[in-house]
Each structure stands twice: as structure tokens, then as C-alpha cells.
Amino acid sequence: MLEHASYTLVLISLAMYVVLDGYDLGVGMLSLAARPERRGEYGEIVATAWDANESWIILAGVVLWAGLPGAYAVILPSVYLPLIGMLIAIILRGLGLEMQSAAGAYRRGWALLFGGASLAATVCQGLVLGAVLTGPSQRNGTFQGGAFDWLSLYSVLCSLGLVAVYLLAGAAWLQDKTEGWSRSGVRRTGRSLLVVTAAMAVVLGLLLPSADPQQSQLGQPMRAVLFWLTVVAAVVAGAVAWHGFGRRPDWRPFAAVATMTVCGLLGLAVVSVPVVVPPGLTVHQAASPHSSQLFLVLGVGLCMPFVLAYNTYAWRSFRGKYTDPVESPIPPLHARTYPLAVSPAPSGTLRTITRRSLLVVLGILATALSQDVFGGDADWIGPVGVTVLGCAALAAWIVGDRRDRRAGYFHADITDTTGIADVAGIEAEPTS
């Protein structure tokens, strides 16, 4: 039972990553074809939440490593090269994105690095997907293939298909977040990418039975019904996206594309379950011991709502159309200087440091106790106690920080010239 919960967490994490970071990568690839003056705008749109979007692939890797180590042991050595290429591309993509805003003379070069690394990361992910779907060579749960077994015609087609999916998501996201495209341009680009994505989905679906060594299980009535339901839902979502490109409301195409992506992943899961790695490595065979499964499901299951809350908060904070930021200059401070004096620390600083130190100790204690609890030796405290202890420490941290923020311990008010003068050892002149 728990191994199926771990497999579900892997699917949820992968679906969230493909939907969220997919539009990030798509916007990056679209920036390569954009005018130079628009590339900076594309980068700023992605910069609002790209780090949180990539958190989902980390969760997927953690769950696969700890919850399904048998699958991890077969998949990882079979795709070392494209996986390392993907990680390098993700690092370069983040570097280009951050330096694009900070750099001066090389801004165009950093923008091109961001777009090129987005394309490289997408291609590598498609190669990994194709290698997994075609089934790594294995024997008794051990990879037996070569270093380049991941390179095949089907994996190359998977890369092209994933590029089309991410470009489609990026175009839908740009319609929702920018005003730079004309309605006719949005409609033409979005519908063209939708046709290419649908064609690639049909080609990959027809070639999968010959490329995948796993026997098709669509002969089972319930499985066949669920599969065709996902296909129908994807077709309906595609029709909504087709109608929505170039029309208001601007969010509708992205919602439809996200629905199409989720339906595609669900269709793959319906066809393959309970097999994790073709042709025959099942969830039960790849699962870790029961105690590890319990620790993983509770730990990652409790982390996912926080990651989702961060995504939601970022989306809500940066909702609406992108506009160029306008910097307002800080008014000059008229002051006469006096000898520097060291101002005393705020009265709440010591209290804040003490409280956070105690909370860190409580966190370490909870971690130490959880090793005994989920290892089967719950002598001091049970799983419910560990959960209550962790939630209490988190609640105390949040409540304390909110109180300190209201008290003004975190940020100085730049309009308060008296406070600035006190800290700098100067006295502000009165203004008329």
C-alpha cells in the first residue's frame, strides 16, 4: 500500500514539474526567436517563480531514491550522460537568468545563455524520458546496458515532442502575462505549436508499442476505459486551447495546455501501472522497506503543501500583466554630521536570537527522535508526537517572525530620516 503512495508522490511531483517548469523552459526557448529588446522581458517573467517550479523535480528524485530504490538503481545509470547534461543546463540557465538582470554590457549574451540552456535542458529531459519508456537493459534489478543505450530514434522523437509541449506552454503563458504580442500573432503561434504537439503525441503513441518491450495492458476493460477517458479529456482541452489562443480571457489557453499535459501523464501511468521501469520492474519489486516508506510518505507528503503554497503565493504576488518596473529615486537626506556613535541593539534582537536557537534545537531533537520512531523503536515519542512537535516549532517561528516584523526589527523605513540619522551618528535637519 505504501509503495503505491510513494509511486503516486513521484507522479504528482513529475506532473507539477512538467506543468510549472515546462512553461519556464518554453518561455526561455521562445526568447531565442524574440527581438533582443523582448528577451529581457521574458527573463523577468520567468524570474518570478522559476526556483520554486524546479523544486518539484527535486521532490520527485528524493521520492524515487528513498521510496523506489530499485527503479532508481536501474534508471540512473542508464541515463547518466543526458541527466548530467540536464543538470549543467539548469545551472547555466539560472546563471543566465540572474546575470541577465544584473549585468550591463553583456545582457544580450546572458539572455542567449538563458534561452540556449532552456533548450538544452528540455532536449536532455526528452532523452531521459525516451530511455525510460523504451526500457533500460536490466537483469535482477541491475542495469546491464551501455553508456549510450539512451540514444535511440524514439528518445530523439521524445525530445522533439517535449520541446513542442514546452513551447506550447510557454506561448500560452506569454499570452497570459504580456501585452507585447498582437492577437493575431498569439493565435498563429499558439495554434501552430498546438498542431505540432498533437502530431508528435500521435506519432509517439503509435510508435510506443514497438519501442516499449512491455506488453500492452489495454486489453483490461477498466484500464482501457481510463486510458480513453484521458485521451478524450486531452482532446477537449486541446480544443479549448485552440479557441482560446488570441482571445480573452488570457489565462484560458494555459489552463487548457496544463490539462492536456496532466492527461498525457495520466495516460502513460494507466498504461504502465504497476510496472515502473519496462519491461517488468513493478512498484512492489522496486519499493524500499516499510519503515522507509512510512518516513518518506509522511515527510514528503508534509513538504508538498508548503511547496505548493509557495508556488501559489508567487503566482498571486505577480498576477496580472508584466510591466517594466519604475524606480523612484530616494530623496536626498539633509543632515549635518556629528561624531559617530554606536547605537544600542534593538531590545528584541536577543529575544529573537534566543527563540530561533531554541527552535533549531527542537528541530534537531525532532529529527533524532524520528529516526527511532520510523526505524521501529518508538520508545520516547510516536509519529504523532513528532508531527505535533514539528508543527509547533514551525508555528512558533512564524508567529514570532510576524510579531518582530510588526515591531520593525527586520526592515528600516527609509522615509524615517530620524532613525537613519540616529544609526549613522548624524542629526537630521528639520525641513520646512
Side-chain angles (χ1 to χ4, degrees):
M1 181 64 183
L2 285 177
E3 58 268 21
H4 289 90
S6 298
Y7 183 57
T8 303
L9 292 179
V10 172
L11 294 179
I12 293 175
S13 300
L14 288 177
M16 293 297 296
Y17 175 78
V18 171
V19 170
L20 297 179
D21 205 44
Y23 79 79
D24 281 356
L25 293 168
V27 171
M29 289 185 287
L30 287 172
S31 69
L32 294 174
R35 299 189 303 271
E37 60 271 15
R38 297 293 308 279
R39 290 172 184 160
E41 178 182 350
Y42 288 5
E44 293 299 329
I45 292 173
V46 171
T48 57
W50 71 278
D51 50 350
N53 295 342
E54 290 184 345
S55 301
W56 292 100
I57 197 172
I58 298 176
L59 288 177
V62 169
V63 178
L64 190 65
W65 169 69
L68 303 172
Y72 186 88
V74 174
I75 294 175
L76 188 66
S78 66
V79 293
Y80 267 138
L81 292 179
L83 196 60
I84 292 174
M86 183 193 73
L87 295 177
I88 294 174
I90 289 176
I91 293 172
L92 293 178
R93 174 173 172 257
L95 176 64
L97 185 62
E98 297 298 332
M99 295 302 295
Q100 177 181 340
S101 300
Y106 299 97
R107 177 171 297 181
R108 183 178 180 182
W110 292 122
L112 292 175
L113 176 63
F114 166 60
S118 299
L119 177 60
T122 304
V123 170
C124 291
Q125 290 178 15
L127 293 174
V128 171
L129 176 63
V132 174
L133 291 179
T134 54
S137 176
Q138 54 182 302
R139 180 183 300 171
N140 298 325
T142 303
F143 176 67
Q144 299 291 329
F148 292 93
D149 285 2
W150 48 268
L151 186 58
S152 64
L153 176 61
Y154 193 80
S155 63
V156 173
L157 290 176
C158 281
S159 294
L160 296 177
L162 197 62
V163 168
V165 171
Y166 286 175
L167 284 174
L168 179 63
W173 184 252
L174 287 177
Q175 173 175 332
D176 186 32
K177 302 300 291 185
T178 67
E179 293 285 5
W181 286 10
S182 64
R183 291 290 166 182
S184 59
V186 171
R187 185 180 299 109
R188 182 171 56 255
T189 302
R191 289 183 174 181
S192 299
L193 290 172
L194 185 59
V195 170
V196 173
T197 301
M200 292 301 303
V202 172
V203 170
L204 291 173
L206 293 177
L207 292 179
L208 182 60
S210 60
D212 189 352
Q214 178 185 352
Q215 295 293 329
S216 175
Q217 304 184 45
L218 290 181
Q220 303 175 11
M222 181 59 66
R223 193 184 295 268
V225 169
L226 292 176
F227 174 77
W228 287 112
L229 282 177
T230 60
V231 173
V232 171
V235 171
V236 172
V240 173
W242 178 275
H243 183 267
F245 274 115
R247 291 188 174 93
R248 297 186 185 278
D250 288 335
W251 56 265
R252 186 169 53 186
F254 180 76
V257 171
T259 303
M260 290 174 54
T261 305
V262 172
C263 289
L265 293 175
L266 286 177
L268 284 176
V270 168
V271 170
S272 61
V273 170
V275 174
V276 182
V277 182
L281 186 61
T282 64
V283 174
H284 181 72
Q285 294 171 343
S288 59
H290 182 273
S291 58
S292 299
Q293 294 283 336
L294 179 61
F295 180 81
L296 177 72
V297 170
L298 291 179
V300 177
L302 291 176
C303 287
M304 280 187 173
F306 291 101
V307 179
L308 183 60
Y310 180 77
N311 282 120
T312 305
Y313 176 77
W315 277 30
R316 181 173 177 79
S317 299
F318 296 98
R319 64 186 181 275
K321 300 291 185 179
Y322 171 82
T323 55
D324 291 326
V326 179
E327 297 183 358
S328 57
I330 300 176
L333 179 65
H334 301 285
R336 56 177 181 270
T337 60
Y338 283 91
L340 292 175
V342 179
S343 59
S347 58
T349 302
L350 181 60
R351 184 177 67 250
T352 301
I353 295 175
T354 302
R355 185 185 69 251
R356 291 187 174 181
S357 300
L358 291 176
L359 291 175
V360 170
V361 172
L362 286 176
I364 296 174
L365 179 61
T367 303
L369 291 175
S370 64
Q371 293 180 1
D372 290 335
V373 172
F374 298 103
D377 298 324
D379 296 333
W380 293 354
I381 187 172
V384 176
V386 173
T387 304
V388 172
L389 182 63
C391 292
L394 179 62
W397 188 299
I398 295 175
V399 171
D401 281 357
R402 290 175 63 89
R403 182 176 62 248
D404 290 343
R405 183 175 61 183
R406 289 194 298 267
Y409 296 142
F410 291 158
H411 303 288
D413 187 2
I414 61 175
T415 62
D416 186 3
T417 57
T418 304
I420 297 177
D422 291 340
V423 174
I426 59 178
E427 179 181 346
E429 292 182 350
T431 59
S432 58

